[in-house]
Each structure stands twice: as structure tokens, then as C-alpha cells.
Amino acid sequence: MTLLKTIAPAAALIALPSLGLAQDGPAPGVNPSTDTVFILNSLLFLIGGFLVFWMAAGFAMLEAGLVRGKNVAMQLTKNMALFSLAAIFYYLIGYNLMYPLGTWSIEGVLSGVWGPGVLEAVGVTADAADDYSYASTGSDFFFQLMFCAATASIVSGALAERIKLWPFLFFVIVLTAVIYPLQASWKWGGGFLDEMGFLDFAGSTVVHSVGGWAALAGALILGPRIGKYKDGRVVPMPGSNLALATLGTFILWLGWFGFNGGSQLAMGSVGDVADVSRIFANTNAAAAGGAVAALILTQLVYKKPDLTMILNGALAGLVSITAEPLTPTLGSATLIGAVGGLIVVFAVPFLDKLKIDDVVGAIPVHLFAGIWGTIAVVFTNSDASLGVQLYSILVVGIFVFVTSGILWFILKATMGIRVSQEAEINGLDMAELGMEAYPEFSKG
């Protein structure tokens, strides 16, 4: 009945007298227009949230396809565990740490709110909702949790094939409970970077670069896989299943519509819905630009297209547009994504020259393209300041890289983070889990 009154209160009163609606308008204390905004905003968060959740499947398939067959079960285990741990520890600590709601122990820097997240009561009424003019707390929590979990997924792929399971999961707990929420509060929680005018619409820096910095610190401390760099050469270690990797990329591409579109944070007006649709279109254009740029560049450089580069080119395009998917034109979005695709093709061999072993290309895609995307905001959004964007990139980068590095060093000194040489050669599936993803193939 509320929806009927919202759509056409006068017509409803005339045409549907049997509903018993008051002849003089809505019941006292009811604001149908605000109800509608609350409902539609909450719906946007829920739809966007489950699309971003589907990205967890995308990361799992991408990583399963790009690691060798002897390590596939381990990657799938890590992805299941990291998402579940993120859900628990973001609830216990991270959510309130990320959104101080004006309650800071250090103004704009450190939240004064510690403790688990709390949802609204069952059957809550408008006058008791936490923020009746915005959206339900449950929808906001659910949506924000998905971003936190995606950050941890970025780290998983880069450190594949040689890291122990439990030290990695301990790192995930700290990343999702403290490191990610704390720096996110500086922008999305109304902290000092937000007050300076830092613009990061859906998280090229807040999510993707953070995962990239954490992965880079881990890769440097963990070291490369055995045999990856030999006698000055880079030894290729092809993944087990490029079909799975391609499926994972398309799943991530789909999930990104929720990632960026949901970050409009509103769907209660014509303008909001038009903007969400614009964001969807620009997100798609950037992915296409990144994929085509990688396709063409690998043909020119290597004389043959490289599928893994094309996959990562599409993902880099998506990361690149994430900082500002609303203001670009379709052409600009395509170009921004294309630059991300070019960055990946050059960055992968650059890291190999430095002997930084990133199994799935997560650092070029999420860190390098994330930095580019954050800078690219200034080309389409007149409110952006290049100085503020660069300063914010540095602040977040230094914080995440240093804290992650310290944590990796502590884990290395206490638990050890790398499997034995024998376990790495034989595969982590059997050494760490005692099972294989493809047992029939290993038996010949």
C-alpha cells in the first residue's frame, strides 16, 4: 500500500476505494517519498553487494586457472577461507573502525568506535531506522563487507604457490579487521583525506591499490618461486587452465557493475538511476579498452596475442575506471581503460626484471592500474586536484606497505610464511592439504 501511495496517491484514492485508504492523503507521520528513497537505496546496496560477492568466485576461478595444477586446491581453499574470515572480522572490528560517524579518537585519522557491527531491529519502523533518509544498516554493512573481502582476494593470487596457508590467513585477519578499514576511514569514513578533497569513487586506491601494496610487501619478503628466475632468464610457469582463468575474468567483469554502480550510493531519484546506468556503461567501456589495448600491444611486442595479458588488460581497465566511473564520456572511459591495459603489458616484465614474482599479475593490475586510475580522475572531474590525488596515493601506499611489511616480517619470524622446498616442488595441494584438485591427472 505504501508503494501504491508513492506511485500515484491521488489516483489510488479514486480508483481503489476498497483498500480503505484515507481520502485526505497518507497516514500521519508517513512520508512515502522518503520510504521510497530508503527502499531503493537499500535495494541498490543489496544488488550491488551480491554482484561484488560474485567477484569472490571470479578471483577463485582466475587464480585456479593461472596457478599450476598441483596448487589449485590450495588457491580454492584460500579463497573460501579469506572471504569467510573477512566476513567475521569486518563485523567484529572493521565496520565500526571504518565508519566512525563523527566519533574519532584522533580526529580524521583513528576511529573512536571499536566493537562489532550492530544491525537494526527486526521489523524496524521508519522512526527507529538508523538513517531513514539513507538506507538500512544491513544493506550498507553487506555492501561494504564485499569491498573488504575483495581487497584480501588481491593478495591471494600474487603470493600463490609458495606461501603457507595459516600465516596467510592470519595476515587476512589483520588486513580486513584493521589495515583496510583504517585507511578506508580516511576517505569513505569522512577522515582527513576526504576533507582534503581526495576523490576515489569506488576504490582504485582505497581497495585495489591497498590490495596491491599488501601483495607487493608480501612478494618481496616471501621471494620468488623456485626456478622462476634462472641464469638471468625468466622461466615461464604456465597456469593449469586458461578456460577457468577466462571464466574468472568474465565473472569479475560482471561483478564490477555492482562494485562501481553500487558506489553511486543512491537510487532514489531520476538523476541517481541515470548516473548508475552511466557508471555501468563506462565500466564496461573501460574493460573493453583495457582488453583491446593488451591484445594489440602483445601482438606488436611478442608477435602473438597473449591471452593472460588480455585477461589482465580487461581487469586493469576495470581498476582504472573505478576511481571515477561517472564523469567520463564513453570515449574517455575507453581510453582510461586502454591505458590500464598498456600498463599491465609493460609492468609484468618490469616486475620480472626486478625478480618480484607475482603469479597472477595482481600487482600490475591492482596497484599500478589503481594508481593510474586515481590520477586519471583529474582528466574528467573538475573537482579533482592532482596534488591531493598524488598525496593520497602516497599516504595510503606508505601506510599499507609499511604495516603489511611489518606484519609479514613478524609472521616470517614466528610462524614462517614459506613452505619447504620439497612441498613447493611437489605442490601445495598434497603438502598442505593432502588432496588434489585434479587427482586423476596426477596418476597418469
Side-chain angles (χ1 to χ4, degrees):
M1 289 173 63
T2 302
L3 281 177
L4 286 172
K5 287 186 282 185
T6 301
I7 295 168
L13 293 176
I14 296 170
L16 301 171
S18 62
L19 292 178
L21 299 178
Q23 295 297 309
D24 56 352
V30 176
N31 185 338
S33 61
T34 307
D35 274 2
T36 304
V37 170
F38 182 90
I39 292 166
L40 290 177
N41 287 354
S42 299
L43 184 63
L44 175 67
F45 291 159
L46 293 173
I47 293 173
F50 73 62
L51 280 170
V52 181
F53 165 79
W54 191 226
M55 293 175 72
F59 279 115
M61 293 301 96
L62 179 68
E63 293 172 25
L66 292 181
V67 300
R68 289 169 290 180
K70 61 185 179 180
N71 298 310
V72 171
M74 171 59 87
Q75 285 309 109
L76 299 176
T77 301
K78 285 163 60 181
N79 276 273
M80 284 294 295
L82 73 85
F83 184 90
S84 302
L85 289 169
I88 293 169
F89 284 91
Y90 189 69
Y91 147 68
L92 289 175
I93 301 172
Y95 184 59
N96 279 332
L97 183 61
M98 184 169 162
Y99 291 107
L101 301 177
T103 305
W104 299 91
S105 58
I106 301 176
E107 186 61 35
V109 176
L110 182 62
S111 173
V113 185
W114 294 82
V118 179
L119 304 182
E120 287 152 326
V122 175
V124 68
T125 56
D127 58 349
D130 290 338
D131 193 344
Y132 177 49
S133 64
Y134 181 49
S136 66
T137 299
S139 67
D140 181 66
F141 169 81
F142 179 73
F143 184 63
Q144 299 300 336
L145 163 63
M146 299 305 145
F147 284 66
C148 179
T151 306
S153 296
I154 295 167
V155 184
S156 172
L159 307 183
E161 300 200 316
R162 74 268 201 207
I163 193 167
K164 291 181 179 178
L165 176 62
W166 289 105
F168 169 77
L169 296 182
F170 188 85
F171 180 85
V172 166
I173 290 172
V174 178
L175 177 68
T176 56
V178 180
I179 297 174
Y180 168 80
L182 183 54
Q183 61 81 34
S185 75
W186 300 342
K187 167 55 188 172
W188 292 342
F192 74 100
L193 294 181
D194 186 57
E195 291 177 352
M196 290 179 62
F198 174 45
L199 299 181
D200 191 3
F201 193 94
S204 285
T205 285
V206 174
V207 176
H208 295 284
S209 287
V210 167
W213 286 117
L216 177 61
L220 288 170
I221 295 167
L222 189 62
R225 288 167 289 175
I226 295 172
K228 178 64 178 177
Y229 305 112
K230 193 172 183 180
D231 301 326
R233 297 182 297 108
V234 178
V235 178
M237 294 182 174
S240 62
N241 193 325
L242 290 182
L244 275 186
T246 303
L247 174 62
T249 301
F250 274 118
I251 292 174
L252 288 167
W253 192 328
L254 171 65
W256 233 286
F257 297 125
F259 202 98
N260 287 355
S263 295
Q264 174 69 12
L265 305 181
M267 199 171 70
S269 70
V270 171
D272 286 328
V273 174
D275 283 352
V276 171
S277 63
R278 183 183 177 96
I279 290 166
F280 272 46
N282 280 339
T283 298
N284 190 70
V292 171
L295 168 68
I296 294 172
L297 187 57
T298 53
Q299 175 68 58
L300 294 175
V301 174
Y302 303 117
K303 309 306 178 187
K304 293 180 181 178
D306 185 322
L307 175 58
T308 61
M309 289 288 195
I310 296 167
L311 300 179
N312 276 331
L315 296 177
L318 289 162
V319 171
S320 299
I321 202 63
T322 294
E324 184 48 270
L326 176 59
T327 57
T329 63
L330 283 170
S332 297
T334 305
L335 291 174
I336 289 169
V339 173
L342 299 179
I343 286 172
V344 163
V345 176
F346 289 117
V348 169
F350 172 72
L351 288 180
D352 281 333
K353 286 183 179 179
L354 299 176
K355 296 185 178 180
I356 299 173
D357 187 11
D358 176 355
V359 178
V360 303
I363 295 168
V365 168
H366 297 279
L367 176 54
F368 293 176
I371 291 171
W372 152 245
T374 306
I375 294 171
V377 177
V378 302
F379 299 126
T380 64
N381 190 328
S382 59
D383 293 331
S385 162
L386 179 59
V388 171
Q389 297 298 101
L390 292 173
Y391 175 78
S392 301
I393 290 168
L394 285 173
V395 167
V396 172
I398 291 171
F399 169 73
V400 175
F401 184 75
V402 170
T403 53
S404 297
I406 291 171
L407 181 55
W408 285 124
F409 270 122
I410 292 172
L411 290 171
K412 182 178 181 179
T414 55
M415 304 173 68
I417 60 175
R418 184 156 186 153
V419 299
S420 68
Q421 183 173 345
E422 180 183 5
E424 184 175 344
I425 292 171
N426 292 332
L428 275 60
D429 287 1
M430 289 304 297
E432 290 270 291
L433 304 176
M435 65 174 64
E436 295 175 290
Y438 308 116
E440 66 275 19
F441 292 105
S442 65
K443 292 177 174 57

